[in-house]
Amino acid sequence: MNAPQPMTLKKPPAANTVDRAAGGVNRARWLRNALPGISLVVLLATIFIMQPRAMSYMGMNLMLNLAVPIALATIAQMLIITVNDLDLSLGSFISFVACVAATLLNDHPLLGCLVLLGCIGVYALLGALIHSRRLPAIVVTLGMSFIWVGGAVLLLPAPGGSAPQWLQALVKIKTPVLPFAIVVCVVLAVAVHLFLMRSRFGVVLRGAGGNPLAMAKAGWSLLRIKVTLYALAGGFGVLSGLFLVGLTTSADANMALRYTLLSIAGVILGGGEFTGGRVSPIGAVLGALTLVLAGSLLSFIRISPDWQIGAQGAILILVLALRTAVNRLEVRPV
Amino acid sequence: MTVTQAALVDLKGVGKRFGAVRALNDVDLTFRPGECLGLIGHNGAGKSTLMHILAGTLSADSGTVLMGGADVRNGYSVQVARQHGIRCVFQELSLCPNLTVAENTRLTCPGLRDFGWRRKAGALIVATLDSIFPDHRISPGEVVADLPIAQRQMVEIARAFTCVDEHLALVILDEPTSSLDARVAGQLLHHVRRYVESGGCVVLISHILGEMLATCDRIAVMSDGCVVEVRGASAFTHASLVECMGTVSKPQDQDRVFVSRRDGQPPVVEQLPARQQNGQAVAAWPGEIVGLAGLAGQGQSQLLVQLLRERIASGKRVAMVAGDRQTDGVFSLWSIAENISISSLAALRHGLLIDPQAEQAMAAKWQQRMNIRTPDMNNPILSLSGGNQQKALFARALASDSELILMDDPMRGVDVGTKREVYAIIKEEAARGRTFIWYSTELEELNHCDHIYVFRNGQAVADLPRNELSEAQILRSSFQEEVA
């Protein structure tokens, strides 16, 4: 029996005329993708106008010092959001990793490495558990957050410890022209973009967020997809914790708790959606940078720290309102 | 495989149950290369279940699935089906809306693995689209969410015919033309014929009779989970197809003489379906039971929701009995009594609070009236069986003071005994002057209605009083008679 071949083709019609409707949708999509970049540029410009000295290698380094761990955390969160889940334990997980790095990794490097690898394993298992028992990820990770904090307190009952020397040296590398933090962020954004948005594996991972049922019908294992994404998220969480403790040199069981919400906000600011597998790694990194810089801006305009969190929230709402407006543009038939 | 007439797939005695519902019962069907097999039947006849079994997304409980002479039923899966060259375009679209056309192609073509797969996938899908739907105007880089529904359907169909280093033997098209316009549907059916003539096998499921008769070589008619008739397409006519689909025509219950209530008074309801083009409104007079018939998902539920919204917005009383209990019906953490009294809270108020005695009394009254089988109405609603939960939902609607009660296919998965009890109460309440609008997918239920509107494509296409009601009438109106 011969498998029928695709038929001989009729000549396709001359140039595809782009509908006006399609043009409208494309413009809205472009705007949506550009929004995280635009908000970051506007923010940077404001900072530079207010404080021209910030526009230097030193100034950028100071401002973006803490951006890398947040960017890594945001990427971890984004990987979870890709399959329509949410990780509420990320902040406590990063704190735990930091504590491990400041204690075990310093004193017994081998044991420390094993524990960190074990952490990634736990994330993979969480993915498997959430998928196979159909548990809501929010509940499972909320429970896990207490476990991570508990583990961190056991390791470091009081703030202290010391990050390994090599880690401290690593995060303080001085790169020419651009500060190390920017280089890392660019590499991170491009690498994850290539993996998630351009590679054939990435397509499968995102497909599972877009239409899980269809993926199962096409013969893909949702279990493997979830385990992969959770393990990757765990991996980025570990990197984030290591980077953070390298910068601060000592750790505290509560040091990164706010990363949970920062990472979620970063993903959403970067153009991601909570459902439907619509995420953007470049946007997520830009979103993380925006959040960090929003903090700096508020210091520059001398808003007292008491009001800063509220003001940061206001900036978030502003950007999200813009996003919603753009989304509405996308939906409306032109 | 040299003998071309050997069957690709041979189903023998295949059965499938979902809980107590028997979706497929002892189905025998043969799929041969070089043939287009049509599958037709009313909603719930088991067509889609059968196709899911063939595509490997559901497994059969009994019988044998013979491929190349060997029984592959045990361990049959989507992968095995694909190895045998079976592809399926499911009724519910299975593209990932967040991916581009080319990326979606990659999901079903594991062969696209080398560097540059994106470009290759794009070229492949466009080539297939060109061959099936010339002038399709779809570019491979477009995100599926941006495409209108018809173009998504085109991509999905083209994707099933696209393959890399795999052999393709059988393509299942489950209502492929439902969202295509006549011209594009024609292109597809033309392609099906070309594909079949080159030795492929296509299973076509459609509700458009003309399309089936013109495209298929053989047509299998399904009814109640069984294949009731398989004939060459030329041996069927529109009339004989419709006749085969209907279950044994039951004599109408003669215990009620039909008296139209449509006299001088104004109707309680006069609602134009949102997509109605000819101005035919769905109307209901006081004391009437109005049925909405037709195939599932032809706009009946939308009409009910539309009516519900407008009545609520204008402050008129209305109650709705949901068919999809789990999502729209029960408050799963509440007791049975609370579930019933929720729509009558105003009447149960005592000062600012709810009077618990009155609530209990109402629950007791409706337990007795609806015969809800439970030792205690304060038990959680989920302690009841499905049928009894549904009775509680009826009680909720009937206990309210609404004159108009909407029912959205409320008897789904309810046993016969319960149904009879509920039918009697509905009639009783209608006799007291309440109006019911009842969407049902079960033809027998329509015998209880005074007036029936048959829906197709979001429009009421026929208006039948009960004395003119017949199963053939409804089937004829539900299925498009003319070639689209």
Side-chain angles (χ1 to χ4, degrees):
Chain A
M1 183 189 56
N2 50 337
Q5 295 299 313
M7 311 301 140
T8 42
L9 327 173
K10 267 189 203 164
K11 189 95 183 101
N16 274 1
T17 42
V18 180
D19 287 0
R20 201 186 310 154
V25 167
N26 284 342
R27 206 172 319 121
R29 164 130 313 137
W30 179 88
L31 208 60
R32 179 197 164 90
N33 288 337
L35 203 59
I38 295 173
S39 4
L40 184 63
V41 167
V42 168
L43 207 59
L44 260 182
T46 324
I47 289 179
F48 290 160
I49 291 166
M50 314 251 340
Q51 193 58 265
R53 269 175 297 170
M55 201 175 9
S56 66
Y57 189 95
M58 222 17 231
M60 293 294 277
N61 213 359
L62 272 175
M63 276 196 305
L64 294 175
N65 209 351
L66 277 174
V68 176
I70 295 182
L72 285 164
T74 308
I75 291 292
Q77 188 69 260
M78 184 200 71
L79 291 168
I80 305 276
I81 289 180
T82 303
V83 276
N84 309 336
D85 286 347
L86 214 51
D87 184 0
L88 293 187
S89 66
L90 196 56
S92 24
F93 175 66
I94 292 170
S95 305
F96 176 77
V97 170
C99 289
V100 170
T103 54
L104 287 179
L105 194 62
N106 202 14
D107 308 334
H108 316 281
L110 188 67
L111 184 63
C113 286
L114 282 179
V115 171
L116 293 183
L117 284 178
C119 287
I120 299 179
V122 170
Y123 257 82
L125 280 179
L126 280 182
L129 179 76
I130 287 168
H131 175 75
S132 56
R133 306 301 310 159
R134 286 173 208 191
L135 299 170
I138 293 185
V139 176
V140 175
T141 55
L142 187 65
M144 281 309 291
S145 73
F146 298 113
I147 296 180
W148 295 123
V149 170
V153 170
L154 285 180
L155 279 173
L156 258 186
S162 156
Q165 286 307 315
W166 56 267
L167 196 57
Q168 297 190 26
L170 186 77
V171 300
K172 294 197 179 91
I173 291 177
K174 281 223 163 23
T175 44
V177 192
L178 280 176
F180 185 54
I182 296 185
V183 175
V184 173
C185 284
V186 170
V187 170
L188 175 71
V190 171
V192 179
H193 177 82
L194 286 180
F195 170 73
L196 195 63
M197 309 304 281
R198 302 297 297 177
S199 82
R200 62 196 167 92
F201 302 109
V203 166
V204 175
L205 298 180
R206 280 184 296 134
N211 193 343
L213 228 62
M215 294 299 289
K217 277 185 198 163
W220 295 96
S221 158
L222 288 176
L223 178 70
R224 277 164 68 179
I225 293 173
K226 274 219 165 156
V227 167
T228 310
L229 281 169
Y230 271 79
L232 280 172
F236 280 102
V238 166
L239 288 181
S240 168
L242 290 178
F243 216 100
L244 179 64
V245 80
L247 289 169
T248 57
T249 69
S250 68
D252 164 14
N254 297 318
M255 71 192 302
L257 290 190
R258 63 194 190 102
Y259 277 29
T260 303
L261 290 180
L262 275 181
S263 64
I264 297 173
V267 174
I268 302 306
L269 268 182
E273 301 270 351
F274 282 122
T275 53
R278 288 177 82 170
V279 291
S280 151
I282 295 180
V285 171
L286 292 178
L289 292 179
T290 309
L291 283 173
V292 172
L293 288 178
S296 307
L297 174 71
L298 295 171
S299 317
F300 284 135
I301 52 179
R302 297 208 183 78
I303 288 184
S304 99
D306 296 341
W307 293 94
Q308 276 200 11
I309 292 181
Q312 221 164 349
I315 294 182
L316 241 172
I317 291 175
L318 184 75
V319 176
L320 288 184
L322 271 176
R323 242 281 281 304
T324 316
V326 169
N327 281 356
R328 208 166 282 171
L329 211 69
E330 213 170 306
V331 172
R332 188 186 307 149
V334 181
Chain B
M1 285 199 164
T2 44
V3 188
T4 41
Q5 268 313 308
L8 274 175
V9 185
D10 214 346
L11 303 179
K12 285 206 192 303
V14 167
K16 175 78 189 169
R17 282 168 165 281
F18 295 108
V21 182
R22 179 167 254 169
L24 285 181
N25 193 6
D26 210 9
V27 170
D28 294 328
L29 206 53
T30 307
F31 303 88
R32 302 195 191 101
E35 178 188 69
C36 178
L37 176 69
L39 207 50
I40 198 165
H42 203 270
N43 283 112
K47 302 172 306 246
S48 288
T49 310
L50 186 65
M51 291 305 104
H52 276 288
I53 285 175
L54 190 57
T57 42
L58 285 178
S59 59
D61 299 334
S62 55
T64 50
V65 180
L66 290 169
M67 289 196 189
D71 182 12
V72 294
R73 181 167 76 88
N74 287 323
Y76 192 61
S77 68
V78 180
Q79 279 85 357
V80 180
R82 293 186 70 89
Q83 277 161 23
H84 284 88
I86 296 173
R87 301 286 190 93
C88 187
V89 176
F90 293 102
Q91 200 173 348
E92 61 277 24
L93 292 179
S94 43
L95 297 172
C96 294
N98 57 332
L99 304 182
T100 65
V101 172
E103 287 170 339
N104 267 295
T105 311
R106 144 83 181 118
L107 294 180
T108 52
C109 291
L112 290 164
R113 46 177 64 244
D114 305 325
F115 191 72
W117 61 267
R118 192 176 294 268
R119 204 166 19 81
K120 246 177 270 168
L124 268 173
I125 189 80
V126 168
T128 320
L129 276 168
D130 284 340
S131 75
I132 306 176
F133 309 105
D135 64 315
H136 53 82
R137 296 164 66 177
I138 299 168
S139 85
E142 272 179 287
V143 178
V144 169
D146 294 343
L147 297 176
I149 180 95
Q151 291 195 336
R152 288 191 208 186
Q153 182 108 38
M154 287 154 75
V155 170
E156 173 136 25
I157 292 166
R159 190 173 72 156
F161 284 99
T162 307
C163 55
V164 184
D165 310 331
E166 284 178 296
H167 90 120
L168 179 60
L170 190 158
V171 179
I172 300 162
L173 300 172
D174 192 348
E175 300 209 33
T177 54
S178 55
S179 47
L180 300 179
D181 65 46
R183 188 182 58 88
V184 179
Q187 291 176 336
L188 170 65
L189 298 176
H190 189 61
H191 177 80
V192 166
R193 284 315 309 170
R194 276 186 299 171
Y195 175 72
V196 165
E197 268 140 39
S198 70
C201 175
V202 170
V203 181
L204 182 65
I205 299 177
S206 168
H207 285 311
I208 301 175
L209 301 184
E211 184 173 290
M212 296 288 277
L213 289 170
T215 314
C216 301
D217 298 303
R218 265 192 317 152
I219 295 180
V221 181
M222 291 190 75
S223 173
D224 292 335
C226 301
V227 171
V228 290
E229 187 78 61
V230 186
R231 273 190 241 165
S234 48
F236 276 116
T237 59
H238 283 183
S240 63
L241 263 182
V242 169
E243 197 181 303
C244 277
M245 268 187 283
T247 44
V248 193
S249 298
K250 292 188 183 74
Q252 288 205 14
D253 61 322
Q254 302 292 342
D255 55 336
R256 232 163 29 131
V257 185
F258 177 66
V259 185
S260 178
R261 291 167 205 268
R262 306 199 155 184
D263 38 25
Q265 303 169 24
V268 196
V269 173
E270 195 152 25
Q271 185 80 21
L272 211 58
R275 282 164 66 188
Q276 193 78 28
Q277 279 157 4
N278 60 359
Q280 156 88 63
V282 172
W285 268 257
E288 247 186 357
I289 305 176
V290 171
L292 306 180
L295 299 167
Q298 299 291 316
Q300 300 96 329
S301 298
Q302 284 89 327
L303 178 87
L304 292 180
V305 172
Q306 189 189 344
L307 199 54
L308 185 72
R309 288 228 170 93
E310 282 178 24
R311 300 274 301 190
I312 292 174
S314 60
K316 290 182 196 150
R317 297 219 162 79
V318 61
M320 175 127 161
V321 184
D324 190 352
R325 266 197 303 283
Q326 303 315 330
T327 39
D328 313 330
V330 298
F331 294 95
S332 49
L333 298 179
W334 290 9
S335 72
I336 309 165
E338 286 168 320
N339 261 290
I340 291 177
S341 62
I342 179 68
S343 58
S344 325
L345 291 182
L348 299 174
R349 226 177 44 185
H350 181 72
L352 281 174
L353 302 174
I354 296 167
D355 181 359
Q357 258 106 50
E359 192 179 26
Q360 289 302 324
M362 171 180 264
K365 176 182 155 203
W366 284 97
Q367 173 177 22
Q368 191 248 329
R369 178 108 198 265
M370 302 290 302
N371 194 10
I372 298 174
R373 292 179 196 102
T374 176
D376 185 352
M377 289 297 274
N378 293 317
N379 283 345
I381 181 108
L382 293 185
S383 66
L384 294 178
S385 70
N388 277 296
Q389 287 180 31
Q390 198 64 41
K391 282 192 202 167
L393 293 187
F394 271 105
R396 179 195 293 171
L398 296 174
S400 72
D401 53 359
S402 321
E403 285 306 302
L404 176 66
I405 293 176
L406 310 175
M407 302 192 285
D408 184 4
D409 204 6
M411 302 294 189
R412 265 181 247 174
V414 173
D415 63 281
V416 186
T418 309
K419 279 182 187 171
R420 286 216 188 98
E421 293 171 24
V422 175
Y423 294 153
I425 293 174
I426 290 175
K427 281 186 191 162
E428 209 175 291
E429 290 288 325
R432 291 190 195 169
R434 277 185 156 175
T435 311
F436 290 82
I437 298 188
W438 186 355
Y439 162 39
S440 172
T441 48
E442 289 176 40
L443 292 174
E444 293 131 60
E445 289 186 348
L446 299 172
N447 288 330
H448 301 282
C449 301
D450 299 312
H451 244 266
I452 291 104
Y453 292 90
V454 184
F455 274 66
R456 193 176 70 222
N457 271 332
Q459 302 190 51
V461 290
D463 171 6
L464 312 165
R466 182 152 54 99
N467 51 358
E468 289 171 25
L469 172 72
S470 73
E471 201 165 320
Q473 261 288 354
I474 291 177
L475 281 170
R476 210 170 300 135
S477 310
S478 317
F479 288 85
Q480 214 155 342
E481 294 257 351
E482 309 309 321
V483 182

